[in-house]
């Protein structure tokens, strides 16, 4: 409604959580994106943002916080988010530390939004490790890059496939 077709916002703050008769507070980080992926330009087509844009943003946040390898994505359901386009972020202890997803169409319509909106919410205390970047010696060997395409059954979970590949490659796998 304000002639801003491309929006990316975030907020950090406290939320109240009911714990029996008590209320506790959790520090949260939340964000939303909608509109086009890049600003309008003569060389770039106007491509709408999608689920993978917000997932990439969250992965970048997790990597900056030092928890990129410690959190897994799993499909989930959340009342405010679109079924089938929602992921829960689960830490190594099995606790859900956040959600990513597309705003539910009913909620989007009730808010009067004409574009798809993708959101995330993270529990800050669970994703920040406070690790300082460390120097690693640069390898004297050239990087080997391979593009591998796999045809898998729809029931295969990508997280399990990546975990198997990482454990099989051992110490030689860097990225």
């Amino acid at each position: 409604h304000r002639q801003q077709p491309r929006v990316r916002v975030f907020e950090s703050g406290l939320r109240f959580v009911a714990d029996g008769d008590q209320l506790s507070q959790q520090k949260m980080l939340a964000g939303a994106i909608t509109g086009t992926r890049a600003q309008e330009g003569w060389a770039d087509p106007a491509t709408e943002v999608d689920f993978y844009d917000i997932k990439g943003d969250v992965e970048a946040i997790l990597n900056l916080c030092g928890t990129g390898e410690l959190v897994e994505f799993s499909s989930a359901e959340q009342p405010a988010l679109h079924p089938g386009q929602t992921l829960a972020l689960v830490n190594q202890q099995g606790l859900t530390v956040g959600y990513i997803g597309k705003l539910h169409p009913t909620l989007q319509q009730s808010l009067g939004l004409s574009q798809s909106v993708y959101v995330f919410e993270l529990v800050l205390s669970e994703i920040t490790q406070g690790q300082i970047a460390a120097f690693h010696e640069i390898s004297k060997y050239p990087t080997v890059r391979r593009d591998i395409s796999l045809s898998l059954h729809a029931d295969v979970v990508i997280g399990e496939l990546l975990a198997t590949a990482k454990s099989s490659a051992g110490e030689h796998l860097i990225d």
Side-chain angles (χ1 to χ4, degrees):
H1 297 302
R2 304 223 188 296
Q3 299 177 349
Q4 296 297 321
R6 182 175 181 267
V7 178
R8 289 179 179 255
V9 295
F10 74 94
E11 180 179 15
S12 176
L14 296 173
R15 78 167 174 183
F16 293 97
V17 180
D19 186 14
D21 291 340
Q22 301 289 326
L23 283 177
S24 62
Q25 293 183 7
Q26 283 183 321
K27 194 160 192 163
M28 303 295 291
L29 178 66
I33 63 172
T34 188
T36 57
R37 188 167 286 134
Q39 287 186 336
E40 188 177 4
W42 65 271
D44 296 320
T47 309
E48 296 291 317
V49 295
D50 61 19
F51 180 83
Y52 296 103
D53 291 311
I54 193 89
K55 184 175 182 271
D57 291 345
V58 170
E59 287 174 333
I61 291 168
L62 293 174
N63 288 333
L64 285 172
C65 292
T67 54
E69 296 292 322
L70 305 177
V71 175
E72 291 185 7
F73 296 95
S74 65
S75 69
E77 290 190 20
Q78 175 70 302
L81 301 178
H82 192 294
Q85 294 191 36
T86 303
L87 288 179
L89 285 76
V90 181
N91 67 11
Q92 292 180 325
Q93 291 77 31
L95 297 172
T96 300
V97 297
Y99 289 97
I100 303 172
K102 181 179 181 180
L103 205 59
H104 196 285
T106 307
L107 181 57
Q108 178 182 331
Q109 185 179 17
S110 69
L111 293 172
L113 301 171
S114 58
Q115 302 178 130
S116 296
V117 178
Y118 299 89
V119 298
F120 73 85
E121 180 182 56
L122 305 170
V123 180
L124 275 178
S125 63
E126 298 293 335
I127 64 161
T128 53
Q129 295 294 312
Q131 296 177 349
I132 298 174
F135 172 77
H136 295 284
E137 183 177 325
I138 297 172
S139 175
K140 62 183 176 180
Y141 303 106
T143 301
V144 177
R145 292 176 290 189
R146 298 284 185 251
D147 184 14
I148 301 173
S149 297
L150 302 173
S151 180
L152 303 170
H153 192 272
D155 293 340
V156 175
V157 178
I158 188 67
E160 294 172 5
L161 178 66
L162 292 173
T164 301
K166 288 177 184 177
S167 66
S168 298
E171 65 186 49
H172 302 293
L173 180 66
I174 295 172
D175 186 23

